[in-house]
Amino acid sequence: LTKNVNNEQQVGGNSGGPGKGNPGGANPYQTTLNDQIENNIEEQNAEFETQARLGEFHQLKWILGWNRQGTNYVEDSLNINVHSVTNDLNSVNFRMNDNWAITHKLNVDAGFLYEKILKYNKSYWQPRMSIKYALHKDFNISFSYGIYNQFVTQLPQIDDFNHIRYFWMVSDFDKISVQRGIHKVLAFNYQVKGLKLDVNVFQLNTTGLTRFRDYEYNSAVYNGESHSTGFDMLLSTTFKNLNFWATYTYSKTLEHFDYFTTNEFVRALHDQRHELKGAVIYRLNKWHFSANYVYGSGFPDLLDNLTQNDYQRLDIALNRAFSLKKLNINAGFSILNLLNHQNIKYDNFYRLEDEEGEVTLHAEAVPFTPTIYFNLSF
């Protein structure tokens, strides 16, 4: 993955010309900022997997693997290199998973992941476990626990004006820490005929977060941690030619970094309390109609911790599949963001101050976008 960002800002007075405060009509505009950023991330891996059946309801699996992750970050300002960071990690890992149906109601899935980072001679043990019990033939309850380490992540960079940029970086085991997450999930599952209901209650604790503050008089890297709690609900059903899904998520994510002036945890940059998703597919002979809807309640503002604008998007599509001798044809159309709701891409936005107040510059997410497609295969 390669990401390129070019940010150019110009300031000046009037448009120039005699009698307009600019003798000779010279162009008063001058470039005051020209930043170019390139961020690359790549990964290669290989695995060998084998398994053994220890009984009719008991299976053991081993996976031996090699993994390489690398990132490169280059930032130029007015054609002068400001930052240049390149790092990569090679690791070998061993995974073991033991799945055992102890009884027809009780199932245990336990194992671990061992990773050794060759460059820094670091070892990480990550145990995982899941216990599932059938209270009724249509109703199951389960509990899962796991430790997860992450050696490459997308990090935020914040400057004096609270502009936020995100970029990928591999851990250097110094300024950029290794993330460690402890996941706990209590799940309920109910399924009867064509109706399915899943409810997951989760608690996630993460350490080793990294944040860059690129301030004019104080640029530094800071470490932090976060706590997430909430629940997910999934409702799906199938009725004749109709398939329907609906999900709802409530979550609360609080964070704390070592540059905070108090020990209080505050809303994380990505803390979104409510998210609702829905999708429907209807099939009639060779016609297929689909629609999906997403709603997000919004993220907090870095300045006052109030909620930003919400996110809404409705997409629809209709297609028809048919054959003509040995020719297969699939044709149709789709419309993304049918209601043309203005959604903001929060991974890159800026604030500018002018005489009338504050102006926010942002990149708009997918606007109203109709598409027609026609596929042939033979």
Side-chain angles (χ1 to χ4, degrees):
L1 172 67
T2 300
K3 178 180 180 181
N4 292 286
V5 177
N6 182 28
N7 179 37
E8 181 176 338
Q9 295 181 19
Q10 294 179 326
V11 296
N14 55 47
S15 59
K20 295 185 179 181
N22 185 28
N27 189 351
Y29 287 90
Q30 55 182 327
T31 301
T32 59
L33 179 64
N34 188 351
D35 294 338
Q36 294 181 341
I37 297 175
E38 181 174 302
N39 185 208
N40 303 308
I41 177 173
E42 60 182 22
E43 180 178 8
Q44 301 86 34
N45 57 68
E47 290 185 347
F48 173 78
E49 176 182 328
T50 184
Q51 53 188 350
R53 186 170 292 277
L54 305 180
E56 184 178 359
F57 304 104
H58 193 185
Q59 182 171 286
L60 197 62
K61 179 188 296 184
W62 300 272
I63 300 177
L64 181 65
W66 164 83
N67 188 54
R68 178 191 174 274
Q69 297 169 317
T71 55
N72 180 46
Y73 178 87
V74 178
E75 180 178 352
D76 295 336
S77 181
L78 297 175
N79 295 321
I80 299 175
N81 182 258
V82 179
H83 299 291
S84 180
V85 181
T86 300
N87 197 14
D88 70 315
L89 295 178
N90 280 276
S91 66
V92 292
N93 58 77
F94 175 72
R95 279 178 284 171
M96 187 179 74
N97 180 260
D98 187 5
N99 186 278
W100 189 11
I102 299 177
T103 69
H104 69 284
K105 288 188 175 183
L106 180 63
N107 182 277
V108 176
D109 196 330
F112 65 87
L113 167 63
Y114 169 78
E115 288 186 277
K116 184 175 181 62
I117 308 300
L118 302 178
K119 182 177 180 179
Y120 296 95
N121 195 27
K122 300 281 188 178
S123 297
Y124 295 87
W125 290 90
Q126 302 162 66
R128 287 91 185 263
M129 179 190 67
S130 176
I131 300 175
K132 183 178 180 180
Y133 185 76
L135 296 174
H136 185 269
K137 65 181 183 67
D138 300 323
F139 184 68
N140 299 314
I141 183 173
S142 64
F143 174 76
S144 301
Y145 172 89
I147 295 178
Y148 300 84
N149 286 108
Q150 184 168 303
F151 305 98
V152 58
T153 188
Q154 194 177 33
L155 307 178
Q157 179 191 62
I158 305 174
D159 66 13
D160 300 82
F161 303 100
N162 288 312
H163 303 155
I164 302 176
R165 292 173 177 159
Y166 289 88
F167 56 92
W168 294 98
M169 192 70 71
V170 168
S171 174
D172 60 2
F173 295 82
D174 181 19
K175 294 181 179 180
I176 306 173
S177 304
V178 175
Q179 291 191 15
R180 182 177 186 266
I182 300 177
H183 297 196
K184 302 174 186 176
V185 181
L186 180 64
F188 305 90
N189 172 265
Y190 176 76
Q191 187 170 355
V192 57
K193 296 181 180 180
L195 180 66
K196 181 180 180 181
L197 175 64
D198 291 322
V199 179
N200 295 331
V201 182
F202 59 84
Q203 181 185 63
L204 315 176
N205 296 321
T206 305
T207 57
L209 300 178
T210 304
R211 178 172 294 174
F212 289 81
R213 298 183 74 194
D214 190 15
Y215 287 9
E216 183 177 0
Y217 300 105
N218 181 25
S219 295
V221 181
Y222 298 91
N223 295 320
E225 59 181 300
S226 70
H227 308 308
S228 299
T229 56
F231 64 89
D232 296 307
M233 294 180 62
L234 166 66
L235 178 66
S236 64
T237 184
T238 300
F239 180 74
K240 294 183 179 180
N241 297 329
L242 180 68
N243 296 89
F244 171 78
W245 303 266
T247 67
Y248 170 73
T249 299
Y250 171 83
S251 65
K252 180 180 181 181
T253 302
L254 303 178
E255 65 182 12
H256 183 272
F257 282 83
D258 46 18
Y259 68 86
F260 287 6
T261 56
T262 68
N263 294 325
E264 182 182 358
F265 279 71
V266 300
R267 292 187 64 186
L269 296 180
H270 58 278
D271 177 47
Q272 181 167 249
R273 296 297 166 87
H274 307 279
E275 185 177 81
L276 178 66
K277 297 179 180 178
V280 60
I281 297 178
Y282 182 74
R283 301 176 179 86
L284 182 61
N285 297 326
K286 295 184 178 182
W287 289 93
H288 291 75
F289 171 80
S290 63
N292 64 270
Y293 175 76
V294 177
Y295 169 81
S297 58
F299 299 98
D301 187 286
L302 192 62
L303 292 178
D304 51 27
N305 214 24
L306 298 177
T307 301
Q308 294 267 9
N309 296 332
D310 61 5
Y311 181 98
Q312 296 186 50
R313 177 171 154 183
L314 174 64
D315 303 334
I316 63 170
L318 178 68
N319 70 68
R320 172 75 152 74
F322 53 94
S323 300
L324 185 61
K325 294 184 179 180
K326 294 184 178 181
L327 191 65
N328 298 317
I329 303 174
N330 191 304
F333 75 92
S334 67
I335 301 178
L336 304 180
N337 198 359
L338 178 65
L339 304 180
N340 200 27
H341 190 273
Q342 187 181 48
N343 297 311
I344 298 175
K345 295 177 66 175
Y346 285 101
D347 63 341
N348 192 21
F349 66 96
Y350 296 86
R351 291 187 179 90
L352 300 177
E353 301 291 338
D354 63 11
E355 295 180 355
E356 298 180 357
E358 184 181 272
V359 177
T360 300
L361 304 179
H362 62 265
E364 184 181 358
V366 179
F368 177 86
T369 307
T371 303
I372 298 175
Y373 58 91
F374 188 79
N375 298 323
L376 300 176
S377 61
F378 53 89

